[in-house]
């Protein structure tokens, strides 16, 4: 069983041949506490944990961990890149158009890719699909309440 990057980040780093550093642990800790954070939020959290560290150093850690498959990077349209420790499973994201909040939703199909384009063999013979990126867009409860109306149908009946 591979090490759980939330429960044992040091072991997860070692498994991938990465040196265990305070900064890397702090980045992983920040993302365990607040998944789908952007680089700025991660930098703020890392500074609280380890003191002075440049944003560039945090970017470098984010890139290295993503390249080694320890982090998943998502970038909803119109948003900065967000990072999370939940990798290798088949989950998707709900993104609120109002506040940008991102929520994980499990996919009904546990292994990626969960969707198979039916025409792939005719349009791109030999193309091996390994992931389907699905993003559900809408308004979270808070934003729906704040907008003072339910988004459904009112437009038409007004
Ligand atoms: Zn919202
Ligand atoms: Zn996620
Ligand atoms: Zn799916």
């Amino acid at each position: 069983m591979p090490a759980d990057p939330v429960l044992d980040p040091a072991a997860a780093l070692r498994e991938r041949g990465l040196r265990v550093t305070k900064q890397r642990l702090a980045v992983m800790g920040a993302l365990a506490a607040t998944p789908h954070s952007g680089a700025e939020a991660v930098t703020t959290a890392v500074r609280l944990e380890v003191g002075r560290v440049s944003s560039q150093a945090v970017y470098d850690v984010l890139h290295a961990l993503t390249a080694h498959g320890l982090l998943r990077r998502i970038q909803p349209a119109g948003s900065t890149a967000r990072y999370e420790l939940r990798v290798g499973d088949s989950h998707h994201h709900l993104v609120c158009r109002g506040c940008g909040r991102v929520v994980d939703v499990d996919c009904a199909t546990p292994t990626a890719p969960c969707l198979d384009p039916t025409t792939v063999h005719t349009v791109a013979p030999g193309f091996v699909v390994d992931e389907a990126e699905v993003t559900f867009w809408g308004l979270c409860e808070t934003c729906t309440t704040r907008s003072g109306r339910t988004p459904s149908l009112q437009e038409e009946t007004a």
Side-chain angles (χ1 to χ4, degrees), residues 95-101 138-144 146:
V95 183
C96 175
R97 290 187 202 278
C99 62
R101 186 164 163 243
L139 281 181
C140 74
E141 192 180 13
T142 310
C143 291
T144 305
R146 192 174 296 146

Side-chain angles (χ1 to χ4, degrees), residues 29-93:
L31 290 170
T34 315
H36 314 117
S37 293
E40 260 178 60
V42 172
T43 304
T44 305
V46 168
R47 283 181 181 149
L48 286 176
E49 186 72 28
V50 302
R52 265 176 63 95
V53 52
S54 69
S55 340
Q56 187 58 49
V58 173
Y59 273 102
D60 290 346
V61 171
L62 288 169
H63 287 157
L65 298 188
T66 304
H68 283 84
L70 262 182
L71 295 184
R72 177 170 166 194
R73 178 184 188 277
I74 59 162
Q75 187 157 21
S79 163
T80 53
R82 319 279 197 102
Y83 298 86
E84 65 182 334
L85 288 165
R86 215 179 140 181
V87 297
D89 67 352
S90 183
H91 81 275
H92 303 302
H93 295 104

